[in-house]
Amino acid sequence: LDERGRFPLLGVTAKSVDRVELRYAEGPPLTADRVDGGFVLMADARRQLDELVAYDAAGHELDRADVSHIDLRHVCNREPGCRSR
């Protein structure tokens, strides 16, 4: 985890993917625009992940993946700076 309680979520995409959106169980999503074959999102370890959605340049949904099994909240709870935020 970095000093803000985030961890890198990396992925490889098809060339047709222009944007990926990491959706959490609650609150606003995290977005990476102009994806060119891959992405790195600095995901908030304090929040429960839900799904990752890929979009083309026209904004059409291409695919989605369940990422709710990635749960680092227990790691964040052990980091004093992370859990206090």
Side-chain angles (χ1 to χ4, degrees):
L1 302 179
D2 71 3
E3 67 282 349
R4 292 173 46 193
R6 302 175 307 169
F7 66 95
L9 179 65
L10 302 99
V12 177
T13 68
K15 284 291 193 182
S16 57
V17 175
D18 183 65
R19 177 172 58 98
V20 293
E21 184 176 274
L22 175 62
R23 295 182 179 170
Y24 295 95
E26 295 181 6
L30 181 60
T31 304
D33 295 314
R34 291 176 289 287
V35 175
D36 187 21
F39 64 90
V40 178
L41 291 168
M42 292 303 290
D44 188 343
R46 296 166 295 166
R47 298 171 64 192
Q48 174 62 48
L49 304 184
D50 185 27
E51 61 186 355
L52 189 65
V53 185
Y55 298 91
D56 66 13
H60 299 112
E61 183 179 316
L62 298 172
D63 201 3
R64 64 179 52 222
D66 180 357
V67 293
S68 61
H69 62 281
I70 302 171
D71 189 355
L72 294 182
R73 290 177 295 172
H74 65 282
V75 174
C76 188
N77 287 336
R78 292 186 297 210
E79 300 282 335
C82 183
R83 70 172 176 254
S84 66
R85 293 195 166 141

